Amino acid sequence: MKSFVFATLLTFLAVYNASAQDTSYHLPKTGVRIALLVEKTSYKPGDLAAYTQRFLKKQVAQEESVQYRIVSVTMAPYALPDSSRIFTAHIDNKRNIQEFNLSPDNILLAINAEPRQMAEPAPFVAAAKPAADDPYRHLNQDILSAGSRMKMAELCAQEIYDIRESRSELTKGQADYMPKDGEQLRIMLQNLETQESAIRQLFEGVTQCDTIQTVMTFVPERDMTKVPLFRFSKHYGIVDSSDLSGEPYYMIVENLNSCPPHINEQGKKAPKDETGIWIALPGKIRLTVTDGQMPLNTTELSASQFGEIENLNEPLFSKKVMTRLVLNPYNGGIEDIESAPIKN
């Protein structure tokens, strides 16, 4: 009885070990990440905006406003597992497959070789903005103690004209106290410019620009004409797809019907699926993001789902050769393949 149980256990382990060598994997489906850089311009009128025309002879907006505009659109491929292309590779002692490299989401990347590393998109970092200057710290006591807002505006305007006159005298060399050298002159002119800019804010207000990045994904499946991608409003930026305050932007997908040749020779009978190893022969497509009239960006790339698949036949992985295969991590196409006989 014990010998029977032991024999049964050995048989079970043998079957388990044999089946454990089979590895299931996906081929990739190629998607695209669309990164939109949007500039947000915010305007806040100055405390003395109502008196700008009277004292500085200049028209300025009297109310706050926000405007958005698309600065750039870029596209980059990424891969996701293709649920319609799942295969099982047969890895056993009959074949020379020593490494079978898969991505974390089970996409085949390489066989008997190190896979190509997928480049992660660099995080967007907005440019640093200088700290806002408080215009009131540049005002003298007479201005700060003015009895009315109109009087304050009049004194501020006079201060601006005095600063401009001082700057003109310095540049012409006519100032009562001229700097000793060029560096001192530069510092004095810069201080005058800082003062004037700060006081002008009380009239002209403050305009602030911020750049925002929004990333969305799109997976092309076939030729597509004007597929709605997002809506954009110059007053609110990117809005919900149902928000009619935004104008629609579209994706156009063109299949360029370009596919690399099969590895197996044409005219020969298709090989049996002895290895269970299938690869993608990606096709080329053209993607265009448009507002319906003008293209914002056009990109060509290879996509797995627009091509074909091919079985890698038995001789490539026989015990007599060492075949190294590296696949493109985004579309599954062959990036490098080499096969060399193994010397006994």
Side-chain angles (χ1 to χ4, degrees):
M1 181 66 178
K2 289 183 179 179
S3 60
F4 173 78
V5 173
F6 183 72
T8 303
L9 181 59
L10 287 178
T11 302
F12 171 78
L13 289 173
V15 172
Y16 174 81
N17 287 333
S19 63
Q21 299 300 317
D22 290 347
T23 301
S24 294
Y25 63 94
H26 293 77
L27 292 185
K29 179 177 285 189
T30 306
V32 62
R33 285 191 179 93
I34 306 158
L36 276 71
L37 278 186
V38 177
E39 183 182 78
K40 175 185 176 183
T41 303
S42 305
Y43 168 74
K44 183 177 181 180
D47 293 344
L48 305 177
Y51 305 98
T52 308
Q53 176 63 32
R54 179 169 182 172
F55 293 113
L56 294 183
K57 310 303 179 187
K58 186 176 182 180
Q59 290 282 357
V60 296
Q62 303 293 310
E63 296 184 3
E64 293 187 24
S65 64
V66 178
Q67 296 281 327
Y68 294 84
R69 73 180 183 94
I70 297 175
V71 177
S72 68
V73 178
T74 57
M75 291 185 276
Y78 76 98
L80 63 158
D82 191 338
S83 59
S84 67
R85 292 178 173 178
I86 304 175
F87 301 98
T88 300
H90 310 307
I91 305 174
D92 52 37
N93 56 14
K94 297 179 182 179
R95 298 171 180 86
N96 191 10
I97 299 178
Q98 299 176 12
E99 292 182 79
F100 201 77
N101 289 302
L102 303 175
S103 71
D105 47 5
N106 217 42
I107 296 173
L108 179 60
L109 298 177
I111 299 175
N112 295 335
E114 286 296 315
R116 173 187 156 186
Q117 296 299 314
M118 287 185 278
E120 292 295 325
F124 172 74
V125 179
K129 291 181 295 186
D133 195 1
D134 179 7
Y136 286 95
R137 75 182 185 89
H138 296 278
L139 304 182
N140 59 41
Q141 189 59 40
D142 289 341
I143 297 175
L144 292 172
S145 60
S148 67
R149 198 167 279 265
M150 180 185 293
K151 184 62 176 178
M152 176 179 280
E154 181 182 1
L155 294 174
C156 282
Q158 187 58 53
E159 185 74 5
I160 290 173
Y161 293 132
D162 289 345
I163 290 172
R164 291 176 179 176
E165 184 179 356
S166 297
R167 186 167 57 235
S168 176
E169 290 175 350
L170 280 172
T171 55
K172 293 177 181 178
Q174 299 173 352
D176 293 337
Y177 301 99
M178 288 300 297
K180 296 178 181 179
D181 54 39
E183 179 60 18
Q184 193 176 38
L185 174 62
R186 186 192 67 78
I187 293 172
M188 292 176 68
L189 290 173
Q190 181 61 53
N191 288 338
L192 290 172
E193 176 63 30
T194 300
Q195 280 183 280
E196 182 187 341
S197 296
I199 299 173
R200 282 208 326 268
Q201 287 182 23
L202 292 170
F203 294 97
E204 299 172 0
V206 177
T207 299
Q208 181 174 327
C209 290
D210 296 291
T211 305
I212 308 161
Q213 185 186 64
T214 299
V215 178
M216 58 190 71
T217 59
F218 178 82
V219 181
E221 299 287 355
R222 61 188 183 281
D223 278 312
M224 299 177 175
T225 303
K226 293 180 68 173
V227 180
L229 193 60
F230 62 92
R231 282 182 174 271
F232 183 82
S233 165
K234 66 178 182 179
H235 300 295
Y236 306 108
I238 297 174
V239 297
D240 190 81
S241 59
S242 61
D243 189 341
L244 299 183
S245 69
E247 296 296 324
Y249 285 72
Y250 306 95
M251 175 68 82
I252 298 173
V253 181
E254 299 172 79
N255 185 355
L256 301 181
N257 296 306
S258 172
C259 186
H262 289 261
I263 298 174
N264 300 310
E265 294 181 22
Q266 298 292 331
K268 287 192 174 183
K269 185 178 179 180
K272 295 180 180 179
D273 182 13
E274 297 170 324
T275 61
I277 298 175
W278 292 78
I279 62 167
L281 301 176
K284 184 165 283 190
I285 60 174
R286 181 183 295 122
L287 302 174
T288 301
V289 177
T290 175
D291 62 1
Q293 297 179 342
M294 296 289 292
L296 278 71
N297 183 285
T298 297
T299 299
E300 291 186 6
L301 55 84
S302 295
S304 175
Q305 62 270 32
F306 282 80
E308 301 177 17
I309 59 173
E310 181 168 16
N311 179 254
L312 297 186
N313 54 29
E314 187 73 15
L316 279 173
F317 298 100
S318 74
K319 299 295 289 185
K320 297 180 180 180
V321 297
M322 169 57 75
T323 297
R324 293 180 174 85
L325 174 69
V326 178
L327 302 177
N328 184 289
Y330 305 111
N331 59 50
I334 293 177
E335 289 219 334
D336 186 39
I337 184 170
E338 58 180 39
S339 189
I342 296 176
K343 297 179 181 179
N344 295 326

